[in-house]
Amino acid sequence: MEYRLTDFLPTTKKELDLRGWTEVDVILFSGDAYVDHPSFGAAVIGRTLEAAGYRVAIVPQPDWHGDFRDFKKLGRPRLFFGIAPGCMDSMVNKYTANRRLRSEDAYSPDGRHDMRPEYPTIVYSKILKQLFPDVPVILGGIEASLRRLTHYDYWQDELRKCILCDSGADLLIYGMGEKPIVQLARQLEEGQPIGSIRDIPQTVYLSRRQDIPGGISDNDILLHSHEECLRDKRAQAENFRHIEEESNKMHAQRILQEVSGKVAVVNPPYPPMTTEEMDASFDLPYTRQPHPKYKGKRIPAYDMIKHSVNIHRGCFGGCAFCTISAHQGKFISCRSKESILKEVRKVTEMPDFKGYLSDLGGPSANMYGMAGRNLKACEKCNRPSCIHPQICPNLDTDHSRLLDIYHAVDALPGIKKSFIGSGVRYDLLLHRSKDEKTNQSARQYARELICHHVSGRLKVAPEHTSDRVLHFMRKPSFQQFHEFKRLFDRINREENLREQIIPYFISSHPGCREEDMAELAVITKQLDFHLEQVQDFTPTPMTNATETWYTGYDPYTLEAVFSAKSQKEKLAQRQYFFWYKPEERRGIEQSLRRIGRTDLISKLYGNSNENHRTSHRPQESRKEKRGRNRRNK
């Protein structure tokens, strides 16, 4: 389908003129290219405000150098400026775990890596406050969301304040922002000054202590101050436990933290979105296309998701290194089958669609429709994970609702096959419930997944082989991976398939020592894996693993935890992923002698010809090879 400029939210003065607009209510500044698709945050917020009756414009990837003309070209909005820094944290997007500049920015035209600054939230806000000091500036997106309180910044290697302090912005919306952004627009339209808006859930603001609404009460959680955390890493670790628990509660408390003579106030989040609210967001009139200004240019992130459909939000896995629960929470919000089918039909109408959905998933592929059986128990729960250290007996792990979605999608005209590209939690598939119907649905899901929804390779994330390290990661025992692989191989034999499991692993995670990585090499060799889907742990703001890595303490037990921090230590761990490469052998043998594990040398290299034999390892695709090369830099 060919779209006109007026089918998109306006991005230039010319596009405002085409609509006959002389002013707009809200101007959003985005660190990503403008793709009018429900997977891109700026588009979601823009369309949400539009549906609420507001005139919205988007300025994608403004030039922050020189005379700031991109920041001035649309003039002054009637209500506020919004900052949408991007779908990924800007620093993760720009730099590798070794702090090297990435060769490609997946959210920029033709992958250009010079289209956004470091910390666009701060850079854009300061420019707008300089140009329009009296116009409210509102922060949103993952970069601000994960920096809403004192946090460790890996790239600066320092503890930093709430991002409102560094940016000079007026208000921060954390998490998925559809509900708070509309409420904010309404209150501003009613004439409330931005400095008096203090009651919107899921927002953060700075206040003088004496001006905090209701004062500081016993119901509030008062964290250690930013200054105290600078002096004492243990205080930072203690803070994080409260932050994570409140991010994952159904009824959270207000959080307060003193910083630079003021108080950062974090209002509790809205309840999880209902199915009706989810449908309303996904059913907005997205074109599902990049803006016409990018015609002839490739936007890598869009290429990856344009033929995919997201069916739910939230993740109750609670992995220690993951930011999803800090941003979306652990409770699952699901779209209706009708809304999902409606979007799939739109995908089938795309001119380049060949009948294959690349993904029908979410943060975790197989959590759709899952929740606590007794919601009153969930209301009292403060566990960051519903499945670690064991699967909660209150959790309904029935896969039948998800199977119904798969069946309905696959029955649509134009669909040849729907693939599941999101990560699958095999611990949910292997769980034995007291309800036999639930167990039957898990068995059926596993078989249908392997037989009908895998494009030759099923990607799963055991992350490590050491149960001690996996405990720090909040991941299941590696024995469950063994069990799942046996199930996978058996179904392949029974169905005469030749599919492969592609496991993901992480090195240098807190609690992981070089010896653990050496044993990982031996165990994965015994499984006949030549690992490629690997990464070095990257500390990102507001995760349990990052706070452990920085402070040296487990935030929940306050026990000391070892972390590999120097480049030498991290590379020493990473090398074991590639034991099968001839150029790595000498260094690995030297390292094994150094750590007193010469017994593992014979297990890796006992047969001099063994590491040259042909493995069942599948050939990499070009895209996967490019991704590996980027990760290895």
Side-chain angles (χ1 to χ4, degrees), residues 583-596:
E583 64 269 25
E584 298 287 351
R585 177 170 177 170
R586 182 179 178 184
I588 288 174
E589 289 184 347
Q590 289 176 344
S591 295
L592 288 172
R593 292 187 182 97
R594 173 174 49 79
I595 65 174

Side-chain angles (χ1 to χ4, degrees), residues 537-552:
F537 170 68
T538 304
T540 52
M542 204 170 281
T543 69
N544 189 73
T546 295
E547 299 301 331
T548 303
W549 192 89
Y550 164 70
T551 66

